[in-house]
Amino acid sequence: MKRVLSILLLSVLILGTFLIAPTPITSTTFAQTTTRVRYHRRHRSFWKKHRDKLTVAGTAVGGAAIGGLAGGKKGAGIGALVGAGSGALYTYKIRKRHRHVRRY
């Protein structure tokens, strides 16, 4: 019963919008000229796209290697965590992001 009632109400609403929809009295069209500006996107290299992630991953691998040499498996895990933490600290807090290089 609910389904039939909802279908009936929706059909009345849809038909009502088509029947009652206002029609324009006069139609005026204007010729518009548009100019399109194309922007050239620079193709960034893989390093430039993923610099932050690669820096953190590299420091984590370096820390794991040093920790592995010093303390075996447990040292490698600790070294990876310390390396990733120090890499993230450098990447997201210390490194200057906005170095402006002039290109002539």
Side-chain angles (χ1 to χ4, degrees), residues 3-47:
R3 180 178 275 177
V4 174
L5 185 61
S6 64
I7 291 173
L8 181 67
L9 283 173
L10 284 174
S11 62
V12 167
L13 285 173
I14 291 172
L15 289 175
T17 56
F18 287 126
L19 295 176
I20 301 174
T23 56
I25 297 170
T26 58
S27 172
T28 57
T29 57
F30 296 102
Q32 290 182 332
T33 58
T34 58
T35 57
R36 291 187 179 184
V37 178
R38 290 190 175 202
Y39 294 102
H40 179 68
R41 284 185 162 179
R42 291 185 184 151
H43 296 287
R44 297 186 305 160
S45 66
F46 184 82
W47 170 253

